[in-house]
Amino acid sequence: MPATATPYLLRSNAGKNSLKGALDSLIASHINQIGPSMLVQVETVTTEAAAITGKVTVRPMVQQQDALSRTLPHDLIHNVPYLRLQGGRSAFIIDPKPGDIGFIIISGRDHTHAITTRQPSPPASFRQFSMQDCVYVGGFLNEGPDQFIQATDQGWRIVTPGSVTIDAQGPLTLKASRIEATCDIVTSGDVQAGGISLKQHTHGGVQTGPGTSAPPQ
């Protein structure tokens, strides 16, 4: 055989009955059995206490096709844990909503035991690369939000059609060059400016008649 001859497995004229054709078919069959990560749409959301992340039911958005290019929808995937931005005991909680579009990431093995116990565990079965063993990451391609926290070149912007509640066990410290408000400010506590209490300050030079008192002390 000449040194420049094309290897048998790489010959373009290798037919379906060739060794290359058989290997290609076998490899393609195995690849088709691997559940790919894909876009999904959230159908339902099960939220639990803030102490633990909830789960979603999702519908794969890229449908299957048969040999005649006819489309076949995937079954729903249930009890899929979703991503929460969390480190230790601190978290940014935004639960998914029905209609959200996101992505599922497929585990290589059956992770049912690990999901249930939240501990290192052996695989629950010999199942591999199954869409049943996935987690949800969202969201992609969703509509513009009504409330958001946005980073701009000028700074941070918080927008909400509702109210903003800050619940802190310790003191709240604001450091800024200036604070402006376009609303009433109501507090059940005291307000101090320059060391002078709004509730406890006194006035000197008080007298009857049209005169005014001295500044608060």
Side-chain angles (χ1 to χ4, degrees):
M1 178 183 294
T4 57
T6 303
Y8 177 76
L9 291 178
L10 298 181
R11 291 180 186 176
S12 59
N13 61 351
K16 292 183 179 179
N17 296 326
S18 67
L19 177 58
K20 180 180 184 302
L23 289 177
D24 285 346
S25 177
L26 180 62
I27 292 171
S29 175
H30 283 290
I31 291 176
N32 290 336
Q33 294 176 15
I34 297 176
S37 299
M38 64 174 61
L39 283 173
V40 296
Q41 190 165 40
V42 176
E43 293 286 321
T44 62
V45 182
T46 302
T47 58
E48 302 183 30
I52 188 169
T53 307
K55 295 180 175 64
V56 293
T57 296
V58 297
R59 181 186 302 277
M61 297 186 67
V62 180
Q63 296 181 330
Q64 305 172 90
Q65 283 186 309
D66 62 13
L68 298 177
S69 297
R70 294 174 298 191
T71 58
L72 300 170
H74 284 281
D75 292 333
L76 294 177
I77 307 174
H78 302 275
N79 297 319
V80 180
Y82 58 79
L83 173 68
R84 173 182 290 172
L85 297 180
Q86 182 167 349
R89 304 290 290 180
S90 302
F92 191 65
I93 300 177
I94 301 181
D95 293 323
K97 299 295 182 183
D100 283 357
I101 297 175
F103 221 75
I104 54 171
I105 302 174
I106 310 295
S107 297
R109 298 295 302 272
D110 185 344
H111 64 197
T112 303
H113 288 338
I115 293 295
T116 303
T117 65
R118 293 189 293 155
Q119 298 291 333
S121 307
S125 69
F126 293 105
R127 186 170 66 200
Q128 298 185 47
F129 299 104
S130 170
M131 285 195 294
Q132 301 302 319
D133 303 309
C134 65
V135 293
Y136 170 80
V137 180
F140 304 90
L141 308 175
N142 294 324
E143 298 291 339
D146 293 326
Q147 58 182 7
F148 52 87
I149 300 175
Q150 181 182 18
T152 70
D153 293 338
Q154 290 73 39
W156 289 92
R157 182 183 178 212
I158 301 176
V159 176
T160 177
S163 60
V164 176
T165 300
I166 300 177
D167 187 355
Q169 299 299 316
L172 176 63
T173 302
L174 295 177
K175 293 183 178 180
S177 60
R178 181 172 179 169
I179 298 177
E180 298 181 5
T182 59
C183 60
D184 295 334
I185 298 177
V186 180
T187 177
S188 59
D190 196 5
V191 177
Q192 294 188 8
I196 298 177
S197 166
L198 179 64
K199 297 175 66 175
Q200 303 296 328
H201 70 268
T202 60
H203 292 267
V206 177
Q207 59 182 341
T208 59
T212 59
S213 65
Q217 301 175 359

